[in-house]
PDB file of all heavy atoms in Angstrom:
ATOM      1  N   ILE A   1       0.848  -1.178   0.000  1.00  0.00           N
ATOM      2  CA  ILE A   1       0.000   0.000   0.000  1.00  0.00           C
ATOM      3  C   ILE A   1       0.887   1.233   0.000  1.00  0.00           C
ATOM      4  O   ILE A   1       1.868   1.300   0.741  1.00  0.00           O
ATOM      5  CB  ILE A   1      -0.974   0.004   1.203  1.00  0.00           C
ATOM      6  CG1 ILE A   1      -1.927   1.203   1.122  1.00  0.00           C
ATOM      7  CG2 ILE A   1      -0.209  -0.003   2.532  1.00  0.00           C
ATOM      8  CD1 ILE A   1      -3.094   1.114   2.103  1.00  0.00           C
ATOM      9  N   ARG A   2       0.560   2.202  -0.844  1.00  0.00           N
ATOM     10  CA  ARG A   2       1.309   3.450  -0.865  1.00  0.00           C
ATOM     11  C   ARG A   2       0.940   4.296   0.338  1.00  0.00           C
ATOM     12  O   ARG A   2      -0.196   4.260   0.822  1.00  0.00           O
ATOM     13  CB  ARG A   2       1.055   4.214  -2.155  1.00  0.00           C
ATOM     14  CG  ARG A   2       1.637   3.562  -3.402  1.00  0.00           C
ATOM     15  CD  ARG A   2       1.662   4.540  -4.570  1.00  0.00           C
ATOM     16  NE  ARG A   2       2.496   5.699  -4.293  1.00  0.00           N
ATOM     17  CZ  ARG A   2       3.803   5.759  -4.493  1.00  0.00           C
ATOM     18  NH1 ARG A   2       4.456   4.712  -4.990  1.00  0.00           N
ATOM     19  NH2 ARG A   2       4.480   6.866  -4.204  1.00  0.00           N
ATOM     20  N   THR A   3       1.907   5.070   0.809  1.00  0.00           N
ATOM     21  CA  THR A   3       1.685   5.903   1.987  1.00  0.00           C
ATOM     22  C   THR A   3       1.256   7.317   1.641  1.00  0.00           C
ATOM     23  O   THR A   3       1.000   8.109   2.545  1.00  0.00           O
ATOM     24  CB  THR A   3       2.948   5.952   2.858  1.00  0.00           C
ATOM     25  OG1 THR A   3       4.045   6.463   2.095  1.00  0.00           O
ATOM     26  CG2 THR A   3       3.297   4.564   3.366  1.00  0.00           C
ATOM     27  N   ASP A   4       1.165   7.656   0.354  1.00  0.00           N
ATOM     28  CA  ASP A   4       0.683   8.967  -0.051  1.00  0.00           C
ATOM     29  C   ASP A   4      -0.840   9.005   0.019  1.00  0.00           C
ATOM     30  O   ASP A   4      -1.494   8.037   0.425  1.00  0.00           O
ATOM     31  CB  ASP A   4       1.199   9.348  -1.440  1.00  0.00           C
ATOM     32  CG  ASP A   4       0.804   8.370  -2.526  1.00  0.00           C
ATOM     33  OD1 ASP A   4      -0.128   7.568  -2.315  1.00  0.00           O
ATOM     34  OD2 ASP A   4       1.423   8.400  -3.601  1.00  0.00           O
ATOM     35  N   SER A   5      -1.411  10.141  -0.398  1.00  0.00           N
ATOM     36  CA  SER A   5      -2.854  10.322  -0.256  1.00  0.00           C
ATOM     37  C   SER A   5      -3.661   9.344  -1.092  1.00  0.00           C
ATOM     38  O   SER A   5      -4.801   9.023  -0.740  1.00  0.00           O
ATOM     39  CB  SER A   5      -3.236  11.755  -0.613  1.00  0.00           C
ATOM     40  OG  SER A   5      -2.851  12.066  -1.947  1.00  0.00           O
ATOM     41  N   GLY A   6      -3.084   8.876  -2.200  1.00  0.00           N
ATOM     42  CA  GLY A   6      -3.791   7.926  -3.038  1.00  0.00           C
ATOM     43  C   GLY A   6      -4.008   6.585  -2.365  1.00  0.00           C
ATOM     44  O   GLY A   6      -5.094   5.997  -2.474  1.00  0.00           O
ATOM     45  N   GLY A   7      -2.978   6.089  -1.683  1.00  0.00           N
ATOM     46  CA  GLY A   7      -3.097   4.842  -0.957  1.00  0.00           C
ATOM     47  C   GLY A   7      -3.409   3.638  -1.819  1.00  0.00           C
ATOM     48  O   GLY A   7      -4.132   2.736  -1.391  1.00  0.00           O
ATOM     49  N   SER A   8      -2.886   3.600  -3.033  1.00  0.00           N
ATOM     50  CA  SER A   8      -3.154   2.489  -3.931  1.00  0.00           C
ATOM     51  C   SER A   8      -2.563   1.199  -3.377  1.00  0.00           C
ATOM     52  O   SER A   8      -1.538   1.206  -2.683  1.00  0.00           O
ATOM     53  CB  SER A   8      -2.605   2.771  -5.325  1.00  0.00           C
ATOM     54  OG  SER A   8      -1.197   2.948  -5.292  1.00  0.00           O
ATOM     55  N   THR A   9      -3.211   0.088  -3.697  1.00  0.00           N
ATOM     56  CA  THR A   9      -2.821  -1.210  -3.161  1.00  0.00           C
ATOM     57  C   THR A   9      -2.532  -2.201  -4.276  1.00  0.00           C
ATOM     58  O   THR A   9      -3.017  -2.067  -5.400  1.00  0.00           O
ATOM     59  CB  THR A   9      -3.920  -1.788  -2.261  1.00  0.00           C
ATOM     60  OG1 THR A   9      -5.133  -1.926  -3.017  1.00  0.00           O
ATOM     61  CG2 THR A   9      -4.175  -0.872  -1.072  1.00  0.00           C
ATOM     62  N   ASN A  10      -1.741  -3.214  -3.945  1.00  0.00           N
ATOM     63  CA  ASN A  10      -1.443  -4.319  -4.844  1.00  0.00           C
ATOM     64  C   ASN A  10      -1.436  -5.607  -4.048  1.00  0.00           C
ATOM     65  O   ASN A  10      -1.044  -5.626  -2.876  1.00  0.00           O
ATOM     66  CB  ASN A  10      -0.093  -4.116  -5.539  1.00  0.00           C
ATOM     67  CG  ASN A  10      -0.108  -3.000  -6.560  1.00  0.00           C
ATOM     68  OD1 ASN A  10      -0.603  -3.170  -7.667  1.00  0.00           O
ATOM     69  ND2 ASN A  10       0.426  -1.851  -6.191  1.00  0.00           N
ATOM     70  N   TYR A  11      -1.848  -6.703  -4.707  1.00  0.00           N
ATOM     71  CA  TYR A  11      -1.940  -7.993  -4.048  1.00  0.00           C
ATOM     72  C   TYR A  11      -1.359  -9.089  -4.917  1.00  0.00           C
ATOM     73  O   TYR A  11      -1.444  -9.037  -6.149  1.00  0.00           O
ATOM     74  CB  TYR A  11      -3.395  -8.352  -3.741  1.00  0.00           C
ATOM     75  CG  TYR A  11      -4.083  -7.418  -2.783  1.00  0.00           C
ATOM     76  CD1 TYR A  11      -4.801  -6.319  -3.250  1.00  0.00           C
ATOM     77  CD2 TYR A  11      -4.024  -7.633  -1.414  1.00  0.00           C
ATOM     78  CE1 TYR A  11      -5.437  -5.460  -2.373  1.00  0.00           C
ATOM     79  CE2 TYR A  11      -4.657  -6.778  -0.534  1.00  0.00           C
ATOM     80  CZ  TYR A  11      -5.358  -5.696  -1.014  1.00  0.00           C
ATOM     81  OH  TYR A  11      -5.991  -4.843  -0.141  1.00  0.00           O
ATOM     82  N   ALA A  12      -0.787 -10.085  -4.265  1.00  0.00           N
ATOM     83  CA  ALA A  12      -0.418 -11.298  -4.967  1.00  0.00           C
ATOM     84  C   ALA A  12      -1.681 -12.004  -5.447  1.00  0.00           C
ATOM     85  O   ALA A  12      -2.726 -11.950  -4.796  1.00  0.00           O
ATOM     86  CB  ALA A  12       0.380 -12.221  -4.056  1.00  0.00           C
ATOM     87  N   ASP A  13      -1.585 -12.667  -6.595  1.00  0.00           N
ATOM     88  CA  ASP A  13      -2.752 -13.357  -7.145  1.00  0.00           C
ATOM     89  C   ASP A  13      -3.325 -14.379  -6.165  1.00  0.00           C
ATOM     90  O   ASP A  13      -4.542 -14.588  -6.121  1.00  0.00           O
ATOM     91  CB  ASP A  13      -2.386 -14.052  -8.457  1.00  0.00           C
ATOM     92  CG  ASP A  13      -2.161 -13.072  -9.590  1.00  0.00           C
ATOM     93  OD1 ASP A  13      -2.620 -11.919  -9.499  1.00  0.00           O
ATOM     94  OD2 ASP A  13      -1.523 -13.473 -10.586  1.00  0.00           O
ATOM     95  N   SER A  14      -2.469 -15.001  -5.380  1.00  0.00           N
ATOM     96  CA  SER A  14      -2.900 -16.055  -4.482  1.00  0.00           C
ATOM     97  C   SER A  14      -3.773 -15.565  -3.329  1.00  0.00           C
ATOM     98  O   SER A  14      -4.447 -16.373  -2.680  1.00  0.00           O
ATOM     99  CB  SER A  14      -1.690 -16.802  -3.921  1.00  0.00           C
ATOM    100  OG  SER A  14      -0.835 -15.924  -3.216  1.00  0.00           O
ATOM    101  N   VAL A  15      -3.766 -14.255  -3.057  1.00  0.00           N
ATOM    102  CA  VAL A  15      -4.527 -13.732  -1.928  1.00  0.00           C
ATOM    103  C   VAL A  15      -5.610 -12.753  -2.346  1.00  0.00           C
ATOM    104  O   VAL A  15      -6.377 -12.291  -1.488  1.00  0.00           O
ATOM    105  CB  VAL A  15      -3.607 -13.067  -0.883  1.00  0.00           C
ATOM    106  CG1 VAL A  15      -2.509 -14.025  -0.453  1.00  0.00           C
ATOM    107  CG2 VAL A  15      -3.009 -11.770  -1.424  1.00  0.00           C
ATOM    108  N   LYS A  16      -5.712 -12.439  -3.623  1.00  0.00           N
ATOM    109  CA  LYS A  16      -6.724 -11.501  -4.088  1.00  0.00           C
ATOM    110  C   LYS A  16      -8.125 -11.999  -3.736  1.00  0.00           C
ATOM    111  O   LYS A  16      -8.444 -13.169  -3.928  1.00  0.00           O
ATOM    112  CB  LYS A  16      -6.606 -11.290  -5.595  1.00  0.00           C
ATOM    113  CG  LYS A  16      -5.420 -10.448  -6.018  1.00  0.00           C
ATOM    114  CD  LYS A  16      -5.378 -10.282  -7.532  1.00  0.00           C
ATOM    115  CE  LYS A  16      -4.184  -9.436  -7.951  1.00  0.00           C
ATOM    116  NZ  LYS A  16      -4.081  -9.316  -9.425  1.00  0.00           N
ATOM    117  N   GLY A  17      -8.935 -11.099  -3.220  1.00  0.00           N
ATOM    118  CA  GLY A  17     -10.286 -11.446  -2.821  1.00  0.00           C
ATOM    119  C   GLY A  17     -10.396 -11.998  -1.423  1.00  0.00           C
ATOM    120  O   GLY A  17     -11.510 -12.135  -0.904  1.00  0.00           O
ATOM    121  N   ARG A  18      -9.269 -12.337  -0.794  1.00  0.00           N
ATOM    122  CA  ARG A  18      -9.272 -12.881   0.559  1.00  0.00           C
ATOM    123  C   ARG A  18      -8.585 -11.970   1.567  1.00  0.00           C
ATOM    124  O   ARG A  18      -9.014 -11.887   2.717  1.00  0.00           O
ATOM    125  CB  ARG A  18      -8.595 -14.257   0.587  1.00  0.00           C
ATOM    126  CG  ARG A  18      -9.270 -15.297  -0.300  1.00  0.00           C
ATOM    127  CD  ARG A  18      -8.671 -16.687  -0.080  1.00  0.00           C
ATOM    128  NE  ARG A  18      -7.253 -16.734  -0.424  1.00  0.00           N
ATOM    129  CZ  ARG A  18      -6.272 -17.054   0.416  1.00  0.00           C
ATOM    130  NH1 ARG A  18      -6.565 -17.362   1.683  1.00  0.00           N
ATOM    131  NH2 ARG A  18      -5.011 -17.091   0.011  1.00  0.00           N
ATOM    132  N   PHE A  19      -7.510 -11.307   1.147  1.00  0.00           N
ATOM    133  CA  PHE A  19      -6.735 -10.445   2.036  1.00  0.00           C
ATOM    134  C   PHE A  19      -6.993  -8.985   1.683  1.00  0.00           C
ATOM    135  O   PHE A  19      -7.198  -8.638   0.517  1.00  0.00           O
ATOM    136  CB  PHE A  19      -5.238 -10.716   1.906  1.00  0.00           C
ATOM    137  CG  PHE A  19      -4.773 -12.046   2.433  1.00  0.00           C
ATOM    138  CD1 PHE A  19      -5.669 -13.035   2.806  1.00  0.00           C
ATOM    139  CD2 PHE A  19      -3.414 -12.306   2.549  1.00  0.00           C
ATOM    140  CE1 PHE A  19      -5.242 -14.252   3.281  1.00  0.00           C
ATOM    141  CE2 PHE A  19      -2.967 -13.521   3.026  1.00  0.00           C
ATOM    142  CZ  PHE A  19      -3.873 -14.495   3.393  1.00  0.00           C
ATOM    143  N   THR A  20      -6.938  -8.126   2.694  1.00  0.00           N
ATOM    144  CA  THR A  20      -7.083  -6.693   2.498  1.00  0.00           C
ATOM    145  C   THR A  20      -6.023  -5.963   3.307  1.00  0.00           C
ATOM    146  O   THR A  20      -5.920  -6.165   4.516  1.00  0.00           O
ATOM    147  CB  THR A  20      -8.475  -6.200   2.923  1.00  0.00           C
ATOM    148  OG1 THR A  20      -9.486  -6.895   2.186  1.00  0.00           O
ATOM    149  CG2 THR A  20      -8.608  -4.702   2.653  1.00  0.00           C
ATOM    150  N   ILE A  21      -5.248  -5.115   2.635  1.00  0.00           N
ATOM    151  CA  ILE A  21      -4.264  -4.297   3.315  1.00  0.00           C
ATOM    152  C   ILE A  21      -4.840  -2.899   3.504  1.00  0.00           C
ATOM    153  O   ILE A  21      -5.520  -2.375   2.619  1.00  0.00           O
ATOM    154  CB  ILE A  21      -2.922  -4.251   2.553  1.00  0.00           C
ATOM    155  CG1 ILE A  21      -1.846  -3.541   3.381  1.00  0.00           C
ATOM    156  CG2 ILE A  21      -3.082  -3.610   1.179  1.00  0.00           C
ATOM    157  CD1 ILE A  21      -0.444  -3.670   2.791  1.00  0.00           C
ATOM    158  N   SER A  22      -4.579  -2.300   4.644  1.00  0.00           N
ATOM    159  CA  SER A  22      -5.079  -0.970   4.938  1.00  0.00           C
ATOM    160  C   SER A  22      -4.109  -0.271   5.880  1.00  0.00           C
ATOM    161  O   SER A  22      -3.190  -0.889   6.407  1.00  0.00           O
ATOM    162  CB  SER A  22      -6.480  -1.026   5.558  1.00  0.00           C
ATOM    163  OG  SER A  22      -6.458  -1.729   6.786  1.00  0.00           O
ATOM    164  N   ARG A  23      -4.334   1.016   6.086  1.00  0.00           N
ATOM    165  CA  ARG A  23      -3.468   1.767   6.986  1.00  0.00           C
ATOM    166  C   ARG A  23      -4.265   2.792   7.762  1.00  0.00           C
ATOM    167  O   ARG A  23      -5.276   3.313   7.277  1.00  0.00           O
ATOM    168  CB  ARG A  23      -2.326   2.440   6.212  1.00  0.00           C
ATOM    169  CG  ARG A  23      -2.774   3.491   5.205  1.00  0.00           C
ATOM    170  CD  ARG A  23      -1.605   3.928   4.319  1.00  0.00           C
ATOM    171  NE  ARG A  23      -0.557   4.593   5.078  1.00  0.00           N
ATOM    172  CZ  ARG A  23      -0.457   5.910   5.232  1.00  0.00           C
ATOM    173  NH1 ARG A  23      -1.348   6.723   4.664  1.00  0.00           N
ATOM    174  NH2 ARG A  23       0.537   6.424   5.937  1.00  0.00           N
ATOM    175  N   ASP A  24      -3.808   3.080   8.959  1.00  0.00           N
ATOM    176  CA  ASP A  24      -4.359   4.123   9.801  1.00  0.00           C
ATOM    177  C   ASP A  24      -3.255   5.154   9.973  1.00  0.00           C
ATOM    178  O   ASP A  24      -2.314   4.939  10.740  1.00  0.00           O
ATOM    179  CB  ASP A  24      -4.805   3.567  11.146  1.00  0.00           C
ATOM    180  CG  ASP A  24      -5.483   4.611  12.006  1.00  0.00           C
ATOM    181  OD1 ASP A  24      -5.300   5.822  11.769  1.00  0.00           O
ATOM    182  OD2 ASP A  24      -6.210   4.216  12.938  1.00  0.00           O
ATOM    183  N   ASN A  25      -3.361   6.254   9.259  1.00  0.00           N
ATOM    184  CA  ASN A  25      -2.296   7.247   9.247  1.00  0.00           C
ATOM    185  C   ASN A  25      -2.105   7.906  10.610  1.00  0.00           C
ATOM    186  O   ASN A  25      -0.991   8.292  10.966  1.00  0.00           O
ATOM    187  CB  ASN A  25      -2.582   8.306   8.180  1.00  0.00           C
ATOM    188  CG  ASN A  25      -1.345   9.072   7.761  1.00  0.00           C
ATOM    189  OD1 ASN A  25      -0.266   8.500   7.635  1.00  0.00           O
ATOM    190  ND2 ASN A  25      -1.498  10.361   7.526  1.00  0.00           N
ATOM    191  N   THR A  26      -3.190   8.043  11.376  1.00  0.00           N
ATOM    192  CA  THR A  26      -3.083   8.674  12.685  1.00  0.00           C
ATOM    193  C   THR A  26      -2.308   7.815  13.665  1.00  0.00           C
ATOM    194  O   THR A  26      -1.736   8.333  14.623  1.00  0.00           O
ATOM    195  CB  THR A  26      -4.470   8.991  13.258  1.00  0.00           C
ATOM    196  OG1 THR A  26      -5.192   7.775  13.497  1.00  0.00           O
ATOM    197  CG2 THR A  26      -5.263   9.854  12.294  1.00  0.00           C
ATOM    198  N   LYS A  27      -2.282   6.514  13.454  1.00  0.00           N
ATOM    199  CA  LYS A  27      -1.572   5.588  14.331  1.00  0.00           C
ATOM    200  C   LYS A  27      -0.288   5.049  13.713  1.00  0.00           C
ATOM    201  O   LYS A  27       0.416   4.251  14.351  1.00  0.00           O
ATOM    202  CB  LYS A  27      -2.476   4.419  14.710  1.00  0.00           C
ATOM    203  CG  LYS A  27      -3.735   4.823  15.464  1.00  0.00           C
ATOM    204  CD  LYS A  27      -4.563   3.603  15.838  1.00  0.00           C
ATOM    205  CE  LYS A  27      -5.835   3.998  16.570  1.00  0.00           C
ATOM    206  NZ  LYS A  27      -5.538   4.661  17.869  1.00  0.00           N
ATOM    207  N   ASN A  28       0.013   5.455  12.476  1.00  0.00           N
ATOM    208  CA  ASN A  28       1.183   4.949  11.757  1.00  0.00           C
ATOM    209  C   ASN A  28       1.216   3.424  11.770  1.00  0.00           C
ATOM    210  O   ASN A  28       2.255   2.809  12.033  1.00  0.00           O
ATOM    211  CB  ASN A  28       2.467   5.523  12.351  1.00  0.00           C
ATOM    212  CG  ASN A  28       2.576   7.024  12.173  1.00  0.00           C
ATOM    213  OD1 ASN A  28       2.240   7.558  11.121  1.00  0.00           O
ATOM    214  ND2 ASN A  28       3.046   7.711  13.206  1.00  0.00           N
ATOM    215  N   THR A  29       0.078   2.834  11.466  1.00  0.00           N
ATOM    216  CA  THR A  29      -0.069   1.390  11.523  1.00  0.00           C
ATOM    217  C   THR A  29      -0.658   0.857  10.227  1.00  0.00           C
ATOM    218  O   THR A  29      -1.593   1.445   9.677  1.00  0.00           O
ATOM    219  CB  THR A  29      -0.957   0.982  12.702  1.00  0.00           C
ATOM    220  OG1 THR A  29      -0.360   1.440  13.930  1.00  0.00           O
ATOM    221  CG2 THR A  29      -1.121  -0.524  12.774  1.00  0.00           C
ATOM    222  N   VAL A  30      -0.099  -0.241   9.754  1.00  0.00           N
ATOM    223  CA  VAL A  30      -0.595  -0.943   8.580  1.00  0.00           C
ATOM    224  C   VAL A  30      -1.181  -2.271   9.028  1.00  0.00           C
ATOM    225  O   VAL A  30      -0.622  -2.939   9.904  1.00  0.00           O
ATOM    226  CB  VAL A  30       0.519  -1.156   7.542  1.00  0.00           C
ATOM    227  CG1 VAL A  30       0.028  -2.007   6.381  1.00  0.00           C
ATOM    228  CG2 VAL A  30       1.016   0.186   7.023  1.00  0.00           C
ATOM    229  N   TYR A  31      -2.292  -2.658   8.415  1.00  0.00           N
ATOM    230  CA  TYR A  31      -2.988  -3.878   8.781  1.00  0.00           C
ATOM    231  C   TYR A  31      -3.084  -4.816   7.589  1.00  0.00           C
ATOM    232  O   TYR A  31      -3.087  -4.389   6.433  1.00  0.00           O
ATOM    233  CB  TYR A  31      -4.405  -3.575   9.269  1.00  0.00           C
ATOM    234  CG  TYR A  31      -4.463  -2.590  10.409  1.00  0.00           C
ATOM    235  CD1 TYR A  31      -4.668  -1.236  10.167  1.00  0.00           C
ATOM    236  CD2 TYR A  31      -4.315  -3.009  11.723  1.00  0.00           C
ATOM    237  CE1 TYR A  31      -4.723  -0.329  11.208  1.00  0.00           C
ATOM    238  CE2 TYR A  31      -4.366  -2.105  12.771  1.00  0.00           C
ATOM    239  CZ  TYR A  31      -4.573  -0.768  12.509  1.00  0.00           C
ATOM    240  OH  TYR A  31      -4.626   0.136  13.546  1.00  0.00           O
ATOM    241  N   LEU A  32      -3.173  -6.092   7.883  1.00  0.00           N
ATOM    242  CA  LEU A  32      -3.471  -7.092   6.873  1.00  0.00           C
ATOM    243  C   LEU A  32      -4.599  -7.965   7.401  1.00  0.00           C
ATOM    244  O   LEU A  32      -4.386  -8.779   8.299  1.00  0.00           O
ATOM    245  CB  LEU A  32      -2.246  -7.942   6.538  1.00  0.00           C
ATOM    246  CG  LEU A  32      -2.436  -8.942   5.395  1.00  0.00           C
ATOM    247  CD1 LEU A  32      -2.625  -8.206   4.061  1.00  0.00           C
ATOM    248  CD2 LEU A  32      -1.263  -9.906   5.300  1.00  0.00           C
ATOM    249  N   GLN A  33      -5.799  -7.755   6.865  1.00  0.00           N
ATOM    250  CA  GLN A  33      -6.944  -8.577   7.218  1.00  0.00           C
ATOM    251  C   GLN A  33      -6.950  -9.800   6.321  1.00  0.00           C
ATOM    252  O   GLN A  33      -7.024  -9.679   5.098  1.00  0.00           O
ATOM    253  CB  GLN A  33      -8.245  -7.790   7.057  1.00  0.00           C
ATOM    254  CG  GLN A  33      -9.501  -8.583   7.374  1.00  0.00           C
ATOM    255  CD  GLN A  33      -9.595  -8.961   8.834  1.00  0.00           C
ATOM    256  OE1 GLN A  33      -9.366  -8.127   9.701  1.00  0.00           O
ATOM    257  NE2 GLN A  33      -9.915 -10.220   9.106  1.00  0.00           N
ATOM    258  N   MET A  34      -6.876 -10.978   6.915  1.00  0.00           N
ATOM    259  CA  MET A  34      -6.798 -12.231   6.181  1.00  0.00           C
ATOM    260  C   MET A  34      -8.050 -13.046   6.452  1.00  0.00           C
ATOM    261  O   MET A  34      -8.299 -13.457   7.589  1.00  0.00           O
ATOM    262  CB  MET A  34      -5.547 -13.016   6.579  1.00  0.00           C
ATOM    263  CG  MET A  34      -4.251 -12.232   6.395  1.00  0.00           C
ATOM    264  SD  MET A  34      -2.775 -13.210   6.768  1.00  0.00           S
ATOM    265  CE  MET A  34      -2.989 -13.431   8.538  1.00  0.00           C
ATOM    266  N   ASN A  35      -8.835 -13.270   5.412  1.00  0.00           N
ATOM    267  CA  ASN A  35     -10.055 -14.051   5.502  1.00  0.00           C
ATOM    268  C   ASN A  35      -9.933 -15.310   4.652  1.00  0.00           C
ATOM    269  O   ASN A  35      -9.078 -15.407   3.776  1.00  0.00           O
ATOM    270  CB  ASN A  35     -11.262 -13.231   5.037  1.00  0.00           C
ATOM    271  CG  ASN A  35     -11.503 -12.005   5.878  1.00  0.00           C
ATOM    272  OD1 ASN A  35     -11.291 -12.013   7.091  1.00  0.00           O
ATOM    273  ND2 ASN A  35     -11.962 -10.930   5.238  1.00  0.00           N
ATOM    274  N   SER A  36     -10.808 -16.263   4.916  1.00  0.00           N
ATOM    275  CA  SER A  36     -10.825 -17.524   4.166  1.00  0.00           C
ATOM    276  C   SER A  36      -9.438 -18.144   4.086  1.00  0.00           C
ATOM    277  O   SER A  36      -8.968 -18.551   3.024  1.00  0.00           O
ATOM    278  CB  SER A  36     -11.395 -17.299   2.761  1.00  0.00           C
ATOM    279  OG  SER A  36     -12.706 -16.773   2.819  1.00  0.00           O
ATOM    280  N   LEU A  37      -8.781 -18.228   5.218  1.00  0.00           N
ATOM    281  CA  LEU A  37      -7.405 -18.711   5.255  1.00  0.00           C
ATOM    282  C   LEU A  37      -7.312 -20.172   4.836  1.00  0.00           C
ATOM    283  O   LEU A  37      -8.191 -20.977   5.131  1.00  0.00           O
ATOM    284  CB  LEU A  37      -6.823 -18.523   6.648  1.00  0.00           C
ATOM    285  CG  LEU A  37      -6.397 -17.081   6.972  1.00  0.00           C
ATOM    286  CD1 LEU A  37      -6.223 -16.898   8.464  1.00  0.00           C
ATOM    287  CD2 LEU A  37      -5.112 -16.736   6.241  1.00  0.00           C
ATOM    288  N   LYS A  38      -6.220 -20.484   4.152  1.00  0.00           N
ATOM    289  CA  LYS A  38      -5.945 -21.821   3.657  1.00  0.00           C
ATOM    290  C   LYS A  38      -4.642 -22.325   4.257  1.00  0.00           C
ATOM    291  O   LYS A  38      -3.788 -21.530   4.632  1.00  0.00           O
ATOM    292  CB  LYS A  38      -5.827 -21.812   2.131  1.00  0.00           C
ATOM    293  CG  LYS A  38      -7.017 -21.224   1.398  1.00  0.00           C
ATOM    294  CD  LYS A  38      -6.739 -21.136  -0.096  1.00  0.00           C
ATOM    295  CE  LYS A  38      -7.907 -20.533  -0.841  1.00  0.00           C
ATOM    296  NZ  LYS A  38      -7.634 -20.419  -2.298  1.00  0.00           N
ATOM    297  N   PRO A  39      -4.455 -23.649   4.331  1.00  0.00           N
ATOM    298  CA  PRO A  39      -3.185 -24.172   4.847  1.00  0.00           C
ATOM    299  C   PRO A  39      -1.969 -23.637   4.099  1.00  0.00           C
ATOM    300  O   PRO A  39      -0.909 -23.453   4.719  1.00  0.00           O
ATOM    301  CB  PRO A  39      -3.338 -25.689   4.664  1.00  0.00           C
ATOM    302  CG  PRO A  39      -4.798 -25.924   4.767  1.00  0.00           C
ATOM    303  CD  PRO A  39      -5.433 -24.724   4.095  1.00  0.00           C
ATOM    304  N   GLU A  40      -2.094 -23.376   2.810  1.00  0.00           N
ATOM    305  CA  GLU A  40      -0.971 -22.852   2.049  1.00  0.00           C
ATOM    306  C   GLU A  40      -0.614 -21.413   2.404  1.00  0.00           C
ATOM    307  O   GLU A  40       0.396 -20.891   1.931  1.00  0.00           O
ATOM    308  CB  GLU A  40      -1.222 -22.975   0.537  1.00  0.00           C
ATOM    309  CG  GLU A  40      -2.565 -22.429   0.092  1.00  0.00           C
ATOM    310  CD  GLU A  40      -3.622 -23.502  -0.052  1.00  0.00           C
ATOM    311  OE1 GLU A  40      -3.720 -24.369   0.847  1.00  0.00           O
ATOM    312  OE2 GLU A  40      -4.350 -23.490  -1.063  1.00  0.00           O
ATOM    313  N   ASP A  41      -1.429 -20.762   3.213  1.00  0.00           N
ATOM    314  CA  ASP A  41      -1.094 -19.434   3.718  1.00  0.00           C
ATOM    315  C   ASP A  41      -0.120 -19.501   4.894  1.00  0.00           C
ATOM    316  O   ASP A  41       0.361 -18.457   5.344  1.00  0.00           O
ATOM    317  CB  ASP A  41      -2.349 -18.676   4.148  1.00  0.00           C
ATOM    318  CG  ASP A  41      -3.283 -18.372   2.993  1.00  0.00           C
ATOM    319  OD1 ASP A  41      -2.787 -17.983   1.910  1.00  0.00           O
ATOM    320  OD2 ASP A  41      -4.506 -18.507   3.170  1.00  0.00           O
ATOM    321  N   THR A  42       0.152 -20.689   5.397  1.00  0.00           N
ATOM    322  CA  THR A  42       1.060 -20.854   6.527  1.00  0.00           C
ATOM    323  C   THR A  42       2.448 -20.339   6.171  1.00  0.00           C
ATOM    324  O   THR A  42       3.049 -20.768   5.186  1.00  0.00           O
ATOM    325  CB  THR A  42       1.135 -22.319   6.948  1.00  0.00           C
ATOM    326  OG1 THR A  42      -0.146 -22.749   7.424  1.00  0.00           O
ATOM    327  CG2 THR A  42       2.162 -22.512   8.057  1.00  0.00           C
ATOM    328  N   ALA A  43       2.960 -19.418   6.974  1.00  0.00           N
ATOM    329  CA  ALA A  43       4.263 -18.807   6.727  1.00  0.00           C
ATOM    330  C   ALA A  43       4.567 -17.827   7.846  1.00  0.00           C
ATOM    331  O   ALA A  43       3.711 -17.533   8.680  1.00  0.00           O
ATOM    332  CB  ALA A  43       4.278 -18.077   5.380  1.00  0.00           C
ATOM    333  N   VAL A  44       5.798 -17.334   7.845  1.00  0.00           N
ATOM    334  CA  VAL A  44       6.146 -16.186   8.663  1.00  0.00           C
ATOM    335  C   VAL A  44       5.857 -14.944   7.836  1.00  0.00           C
ATOM    336  O   VAL A  44       6.335 -14.819   6.709  1.00  0.00           O
ATOM    337  CB  VAL A  44       7.620 -16.211   9.102  1.00  0.00           C
ATOM    338  CG1 VAL A  44       7.960 -14.950   9.895  1.00  0.00           C
ATOM    339  CG2 VAL A  44       7.909 -17.453   9.933  1.00  0.00           C
TER     340      VAL A  44
END
């Protein structure tokens, strides 16, 4: 996710439609919401 005002996002094909990246500028925090998790998502 870009940190400018546009905040455009990009995703790997394997997670499109399941994961959402977002940011809270007031908290300087980036989030990754992961839904419909699969065993192949296992990783660090």
Side-chain angles (χ1 to χ4, degrees):
I1 184 168
R2 291 195 61 86
T3 58
D4 59 17
S5 59
S8 61
T9 59
N10 290 282
Y11 297 92
D13 289 341
S14 59
V15 306
K16 286 180 180 177
R18 300 188 298 120
F19 291 10
T20 302
I21 188 170
S22 62
R23 64 190 296 266
D24 184 340
N25 200 39
T26 65
K27 299 182 181 297
N28 295 319
T29 300
V30 175
Y31 305 95
L32 185 67
Q33 179 67 46
M34 304 184 293
N35 298 325
S36 301
L37 283 163
K38 305 174 181 179
E40 50 263 44
D41 295 318
T42 296
V44 177

